[in-house]
Amino acid sequence: MRRTALLVSATLLTGLLPLAAAGTAAGADDPVPVPVDRFEGEVPFASPPAEGIFTWGGDTDDPPRLALTERADAPEGARVLTGTHDISGYGGFTHDFAFAEPAHDWSASKGIRFWWEGRDNGRKVSFELKDGGANGEASELWTTSFTDDFTGWKRIEIPFTDFVYRTDYQPVGGIDQILGLTETWGYALTLPAGISDRFAMDGVELYGRADQSLRASVTTGSAVYPVKEGGTATVGVTVGTTGSAPLADPVTVTYETTTGGTATDGADYTPVHGELTFPAGTASGTSRTIQVPTRKDRPAESAETIPLKLTVTGARAPAETPQIVIDAHGLPYLNGRLPVKQRVADLLSRMSLAEKAGQMTQAERGAVAATPGDIASYDLGSLLSGGGSTPVPNTPAAWAKMIDGFQLRAQATRFQIPLIYGVDAVHGHNNLVGATILPHNIGIGAAREPRLAYKAGEVTAAEVRATGIPWDFAPCLCVARDERWGRTYESFGEDPALVEQMETVIQGLQGRANGTDLKDNDRVLATAKHFVGDGGTTYGSSTTGSYTIDQGVTEVTRQELEAVHLAPYQDAVDRGVGSVMPSYSSLDIAGDGQGPVKMHARADMINGVLKDRMGFDGFVVSDWQAIDQIPGDYASDVRTSVNAGLDMIMVPYAYQDFRTALVAEANAGRINAKRIDDAVSRILTQKFKLGLFERPYADTSGAADIGSAEHRAVARELAAKSQVLLKNADSVLPLRKSQKVYVAGSNADDIGSQTGGWTVTWQGSSGDITEGTTVLEGMRKAGGDVTYSKDASAPTDGFDVGVVVVGETPYAEGMGDVGNGNDLELTDADKAAVDTVCAAMKCAVLVVAGRPQLIGDRLGGIDALVASWLPGTEGDGVADVLYGRRAFTGQLPLTWPKSEAQLPINVGDTAYDPQFPYGWGLTTRTRIPEGGEKTLKALSVAATVAERAHDEKAGRTLVTHARLIVQARIGQGLTAAAAKPFADADHLLLTGRYGAAAEKLRAAYRAA
């Protein structure tokens, strides 16, 4: 080990002893403390892999500022570690030991302690150990915390037995979930967020002598044991040791039922007491059982709890007192044969205000991971996983086990109302490694096939439900009107008519509109979001951090609001969508006298339009911490949002504060009982429809289909049909397998960039982050003769054609806003690759991105240009169209601009001069329709007849025939005069006005 990690003096140690030896140097009764950090300069400020102290945070403002400061009141030595912080997200600092040296052995000590200068701010400071693994940044994290509720210097002592496995994040997915302490790589502190403050720390050291309770623990199979009335609960008690070594000393467990629960001793159960003994030498993993008999006393009653007190000697006791729960029985709401409406009414009539408030509360899984008993204590109605919030390991089985564990906690409530667990599965079960990742919505919009949108919903629902999740925060029905928006790819397109066409995804997710399929093990509750106008925010109007357009203000006339942004929601309601999520953005309707108002506060839109006028009978759930953006104090935020029509509030880490505030506002009469009952009725209705009362736990019978060949075939077809061929001079595409192909570009061989944001993590990331096939791999699998050079530095001689795959790196939400560190230009590296390859040979450029990229003057030197969008994990689909296995058939769901100065630019604009118009998309079909003005006139007449006959298939076929003729006529000589009627024609086609669409195409033909 590096001795510079220690401040060693003659008065403290008699030599440079190994840490384990130093811990026992003073004798058995009073071991000498083992110094870790004295902050006298022995440990530098440095980043891994070097040994040292370094800071980190959620964004550039969050890392604290550190210094070694001389202080006359230093508890040890002359200097202390000081720092200042003003953290909005998360931030802290770490001391990592050198990667080049062995890890430290702390197993001989009782715990770790240090001096902390209290600020008496009442905030918790998290302290984390890095245990096992390859190094400090690839270790297992164990955490605890202390509260800064004092002033001046205080020594904080933390026994190693206080540390718990961190469940919200593990850098390498976890290792063995055992705090071994034989390979320790350092520690970290997470400082409190939301306040501007300073701190001082000194004298980190190991203290005391380890005893068996550090290495041995007693656990129960569960914290909650439901049992039918009259049955016997069996509680398993298991002893385990670090490294699975046999017990060195005996362990005893004394048990007794206590009267602290809601069940009555003698009437509801037979009291039990006794002792279990695990002798020295007992193998790790040995179990004993305790049986608690219950009695039948009443034919109908709510659930009752029986605490089982365990007193452990010789090992660490279970973190919680196990509870036996006598199941609720005989009550009408439990009768699955009764109508849902009757079941809801019965249950609602029995609930207290606090229980109703709990149903309206949604917490993040990470918030209750350390205190899962809060699920019952606060009667929580819902949990969610934020983007990238996953179990460890991130497998289908781990997801199901985690959610079942949470559901089990809900069984300890009076009425055993199951949780509804939600997740952002916005293009497949995207938080799960190995899931089928479909193209983002913008690609589905490009494919223009409602059948495939439906199939995408089906695949997503099946994979999500197979991991125990019944609720999906999708689809996004935003109408993206400005490509500078970081959420553009979450939209099906810029035309509300296109968005409506793709809403078949709702049926794919939920099944039939009446909700009768929701109980099936391959369906999930869908969420229409973000109501309303999130895609129309004005550039520069956002007030959220460094965002420029996301969460900004949508400035519209009432007519524009109805025609563009509201239109898709009526269709969603008609399709029976079960939940709706309002937008973070504000709505400013010209002439209504309100100015910009946050959507979460707009009762006129949520209660008035969505629920009353449109007839939405599902429930409205807020976005992540969104009520915090409503002006006013927290009580006002709660009151305003609930009275505006929100039924469930997503308060990831503030669930305690929210429920308390909601109850207080209701008791004060500022939220009336009728509004509360309406909200809870809506939530309970969907829980009953989902069958959660009968089957709250995961049905994993479909888990084998996650990432299956069948599901990936759907994603592959969607990826192929989402490819939009914008230019194809001299028929460069499709490629022939006999051609020698030179492949280059940053996104040719990158599954992370290809799948985009909301993949495994919230923001997504480039690199090999999940299972799938890159574009390059797909081309090779297709049998192509391919040579790859990412930066086009390899020789370019001797090739028939080049394929350059360029575009964006992943982002999500406002982090992707143009002006927030992003633009619509290709990177310098991508530009160089395009220039190099296209100068040397015929070339096709594929743009893998969530929105159009500005090609500019390079278009003339590019032979073929493809908008690939974000095709997901199935790069084979892209290869299918490149090599002609499928024809290019995709069409632009967004107008492709010539310059950023044109933005926003959309179909229907008076001034419309794009690079490529909305609806543009060349084809590589072997037979392309021919004809001229006369043919187009005939097609127009036939299309009008089809329209009058309501023959959708014929109408679409005729207009598509006309479009292909017009595109061939325009070629690369597109003018504004031709672009506008061409784009208008596509909008008319989607609204079923086939004759008018054909006439617009005739106008485009004449203007070409």
Side-chain angles (χ1 to χ4, degrees):
M1 59 170 289
R2 285 186 62 180
R3 296 299 192 267
T4 56
L6 310 177
L7 178 67
V8 183
S9 68
T11 60
L12 184 64
L13 298 175
T14 56
L16 297 178
L17 301 176
L19 282 177
T24 58
D29 295 331
D30 187 22
V32 174
V34 180
V36 178
D37 284 330
R38 298 301 190 207
F39 304 117
E40 299 299 308
E42 76 281 7
V43 179
F45 293 117
S47 297
E51 179 168 19
I53 299 168
F54 62 95
T55 63
W56 39 265
D59 57 39
T60 55
D61 297 328
D62 284 345
R65 290 151 294 284
L66 304 181
L68 297 178
T69 305
E70 289 198 15
R71 290 269 295 265
D73 63 343
E76 298 183 22
R79 291 195 285 184
V80 300
L81 179 67
T82 61
T84 59
H85 60 91
D86 186 1
I87 301 168
S88 58
Y90 64 90
F93 63 93
T94 293
H95 176 186
D96 269 2
F97 303 145
F99 291 9
E101 302 292 337
H104 296 193
D105 186 347
W106 288 2
S107 63
S109 299
K110 179 179 181 180
I112 190 166
R113 66 189 183 190
F114 50 89
W115 291 96
W116 187 264
E117 186 180 32
R119 303 286 296 164
D120 198 19
N121 55 33
R123 301 300 186 96
K124 285 188 176 181
V125 180
S126 295
F127 192 96
E128 189 170 86
L129 295 181
K130 301 189 169 198
D131 185 69
N135 54 62
E137 298 308 294
S139 58
E140 197 165 70
L141 306 182
W142 291 73
T143 187
T144 187
S145 66
F146 65 93
T147 302
D148 188 336
D149 55 3
F150 54 91
T151 302
W153 289 106
K154 177 181 177 180
R155 175 170 270 172
I156 307 296
E157 289 195 348
I158 307 176
F160 289 133
T161 51
D162 283 1
F163 286 87
V164 296
Y165 183 76
R166 185 169 170 181
T167 56
D168 60 332
Y169 170 71
Q170 289 289 340
V172 289
I175 301 168
D176 57 8
Q177 298 190 32
I178 295 173
L179 182 58
L181 296 170
T182 56
E183 292 183 314
T184 306
W185 290 101
Y187 64 87
L189 281 85
T190 302
L191 298 168
I195 59 171
S196 178
D197 211 343
R198 60 182 174 84
F199 74 91
M201 182 182 188
D202 201 12
V204 184
E205 64 185 19
L206 309 179
Y207 74 95
R209 183 184 305 280
D211 56 29
Q212 181 170 274
S213 64
L214 176 63
R215 295 172 177 266
S217 61
V218 169
T219 58
T220 56
S222 174
V224 178
Y225 290 84
V227 62
K228 294 186 182 299
E229 187 186 51
T232 298
T234 300
V235 179
V237 179
T238 302
V239 66
T241 62
T242 300
S244 299
L247 290 178
D249 300 301
V251 172
T252 60
V253 181
T254 302
Y255 63 88
E256 62 176 326
T257 51
T258 68
T259 57
T262 57
T264 302
D265 181 343
D268 294 313
Y269 66 97
T270 302
V272 299
H273 62 87
E275 183 177 277
L276 303 176
T277 301
F278 297 88
T282 298
S284 177
T286 300
S287 297
R288 305 272 193 273
T289 59
I290 301 168
Q291 294 193 321
V292 181
T294 68
R295 297 179 175 183
K296 290 189 175 183
D297 64 338
R298 284 191 283 176
E301 59 185 336
S302 56
E304 299 167 307
T305 57
I306 309 164
L308 181 63
K309 181 181 178 182
L310 303 179
T311 304
V312 178
T313 304
R316 187 189 312 181
E320 294 180 76
T321 298
Q323 289 188 87
I324 290 87
V325 179
I326 304 172
D327 287 337
H329 55 278
L331 301 174
Y333 78 88
L334 294 169
N335 185 351
R337 294 187 296 273
L338 294 178
V340 167
K341 189 174 181 179
Q342 186 176 337
R343 297 177 76 183
V344 170
D346 175 69
L347 178 52
L348 191 70
S349 71
R350 301 173 186 278
M351 296 170 68
S352 68
L353 174 60
E355 288 167 327
K356 293 173 182 177
Q359 286 301 301
M360 296 172 68
T361 307
Q362 184 182 57
E364 216 281 336
R365 59 173 284 279
V368 299
T371 54
D374 280 1
I375 292 171
S377 298
Y378 289 88
D379 299 289
L380 296 181
S382 180
L383 295 180
L384 81 147
S385 279
S389 178
T390 68
V392 178
N394 188 356
T395 63
W399 276 94
K401 180 180 178 182
M402 174 188 72
I403 294 167
D404 282 355
F406 291 140
Q407 287 287 17
L408 188 62
R409 297 292 184 155
Q411 294 299 298
T413 58
R414 190 161 62 122
F415 298 116
Q416 298 183 301
I417 303 173
L419 296 164
I420 180 169
Y421 198 100
V423 66
D424 287 279
V426 299
H427 61 141
H429 196 353
N430 43 254
N431 280 307
L432 173 64
V433 172
T436 305
I437 305 301
L438 298 143
H440 269 293
N441 283 356
I442 198 66
I444 296 176
R448 301 290 182 95
E449 285 203 22
R451 174 190 65 86
L452 273 178
Y454 175 89
K455 294 290 289 182
E458 274 195 322
V459 168
T460 300
E463 297 200 3
V464 167
R465 196 71 183 254
T467 57
I469 301 168
W471 184 17
D472 185 4
F473 303 135
C476 186
L477 302 185
C478 49
V479 183
R481 306 291 284 180
D482 192 327
E483 289 90 323
R484 290 170 292 189
W485 188 34
R487 300 187 86 136
T488 296
Y489 63 76
E490 292 188 47
S491 171
F492 292 114
E494 70 187 34
D495 184 354
L498 176 57
V499 175
E500 289 181 61
Q501 290 280 319
M502 298 301 107
E503 287 185 53
T504 51
V505 69
I506 293 172
Q507 257 63 69
L509 292 166
Q510 291 195 169
R512 285 173 287 188
N514 62 8
T516 54
D517 294 336
L518 282 171
K519 63 183 182 301
D520 296 347
N521 68 354
D522 59 353
R523 300 294 185 184
V524 294
L525 195 74
T527 308
K529 64 182 188 183
H530 302 89
F531 186 84
V532 59
D534 54 334
T537 48
T538 301
Y539 187 79
S541 66
S542 181
T543 57
T544 301
S546 56
Y547 295 4
T548 58
I549 186 169
D550 188 35
Q551 303 185 22
V553 180
T554 300
E555 301 168 315
V556 288
T557 64
R558 177 68 66 176
Q559 182 180 7
E560 289 169 337
L561 176 66
E562 294 283 345
V564 176
H565 299 290
L566 272 173
Y569 285 93
Q570 184 64 66
D571 188 64
V573 170
D574 293 343
R575 291 178 179 276
V577 72
S579 65
V580 168
M581 181 182 290
S583 175
Y584 279 115
S585 57
S586 299
L587 187 60
D588 187 358
I589 305 174
D592 74 351
Q594 296 188 64
V597 178
K598 283 289 183 180
M599 270 308 309
H600 281 72
R602 290 208 69 138
D604 60 329
M605 299 303 301
I606 299 172
N607 282 329
V609 174
L610 178 65
K611 290 183 175 180
D612 294 342
R613 193 187 86 189
M614 291 185 174
F616 174 62
D617 60 4
F619 68 90
V620 178
V621 59
S622 85
D623 210 330
W624 180 281
Q625 292 180 325
I627 68 167
D628 295 354
Q629 296 188 12
I630 299 172
D633 60 20
Y634 194 68
S636 172
D637 294 346
V638 172
R639 177 173 66 251
T640 300
S641 59
V642 173
N643 285 336
L646 270 72
D647 304 307
M648 181 184 288
I649 314 297
M650 189 186 294
V651 280
Y653 299 98
Y655 61 90
Q656 297 167 329
D657 294 340
F658 170 76
R659 201 189 78 152
T660 299
L662 179 57
V663 169
E665 289 298 296
N667 281 331
R670 290 184 287 269
I671 301 174
N672 67 45
K674 185 178 179 181
R675 171 77 272 269
I676 298 286
D677 285 354
D678 173 60
V680 178
S681 295
R682 289 168 176 271
I683 295 164
L684 294 177
T685 296
Q686 299 303 328
K687 289 187 176 185
F688 280 118
K689 286 184 176 181
L690 285 161
L692 294 177
F693 281 82
E694 290 72 36
R695 295 176 302 280
Y697 304 115
D699 179 348
T700 59
S701 58
D705 292 328
I706 294 173
S708 66
E710 181 182 1
H711 287 182
R712 290 182 184 274
V714 173
R716 178 175 180 168
E717 183 180 0
L718 252 176
K721 292 186 174 180
S722 71
Q723 304 298 295
V724 180
L725 184 59
L726 301 174
K727 178 181 179 181
N728 194 26
D730 299 324
S731 298
V732 168
L733 295 178
L735 304 171
R736 298 185 301 277
K737 293 180 183 178
S738 60
Q739 290 177 305
K740 294 187 65 177
V741 181
Y742 187 101
V743 179
S746 60
N747 285 346
D749 193 30
D750 194 311
I751 200 76
S753 292
Q754 185 176 302
T755 50
W758 289 107
T759 307
V760 182
T761 59
W762 173 41
Q763 290 293 314
S765 61
S766 299
D768 190 16
I769 62 172
T770 192
E771 299 170 18
T773 303
T774 67
V775 173
L776 175 67
E777 290 168 342
M779 294 176 69
R780 286 173 170 161
K781 287 169 66 178
D785 183 355
V786 172
T787 296
Y788 173 58
S789 175
K790 181 176 180 178
D791 60 358
S793 59
T796 56
D797 296 335
F799 292 92
D800 299 307
V801 64
V803 174
V804 191
V805 189
V806 296
E808 296 183 306
T809 53
Y811 55 80
E813 300 188 32
M815 300 299 288
D817 284 355
V818 168
N820 188 21
N822 305 283
D823 55 38
L824 298 180
E825 297 280 350
L826 299 179
T827 65
D828 290 343
D830 277 348
K831 290 176 181 176
V834 170
D835 291 347
T836 298
V837 175
C838 293
M841 64 194 82
K842 289 185 176 181
C843 71
V845 173
L846 276 60
V847 180
V848 172
R851 53 196 168 190
Q853 301 293 284
L854 302 175
I855 302 301
D857 295 340
R858 284 180 172 76
L859 183 60
I862 295 171
D863 299 292
L865 181 64
V866 178
S868 287
W869 310 111
L870 299 169
T873 50
E874 307 314 299
D876 287 324
V878 181
D880 285 343
V881 291
L882 289 178
Y883 277 98
R885 184 175 181 270
R886 291 183 185 272
F888 278 94
T889 57
Q891 294 175 248
L892 282 182
L894 300 167
T895 300
W896 197 284
K898 290 180 176 178
S899 70
E900 193 174 320
Q902 288 184 312
L903 299 177
I905 181 172
N906 294 287
V907 59
D909 288 354
T910 303
Y912 191 74
D913 185 20
Q915 189 91 68
F916 298 103
Y918 170 76
W920 186 264
L922 304 176
T923 186
T924 51
R925 289 173 177 158
T926 53
R927 292 184 61 188
I928 298 176
E930 296 180 355
E933 177 76 20
K934 185 176 180 181
T935 303
L936 289 173
K937 184 175 182 179
L939 289 170
S940 178
V941 171
T944 301
V945 172
E947 180 181 338
R948 290 172 180 165
H950 304 289
D951 189 340
E952 180 182 358
K953 183 178 179 181
R956 286 178 175 271
T957 300
L958 291 164
V959 175
T960 298
H961 192 125
R963 178 177 64 85
L964 295 175
I965 291 173
V966 173
Q967 283 184 157
R969 164 84 168 191
I970 292 173
Q972 300 307 311
L974 184 68
T975 64
K980 180 170 174 51
F982 184 94
D984 291 343
D986 201 54
H987 170 72
L988 291 166
L989 167 65
L990 291 169
T991 57
R993 294 148 70 186
Y994 309 124
E999 280 300 306
K1000 285 288 184 181
L1001 287 169
R1002 284 183 68 195
Y1005 184 90
R1006 289 193 295 267

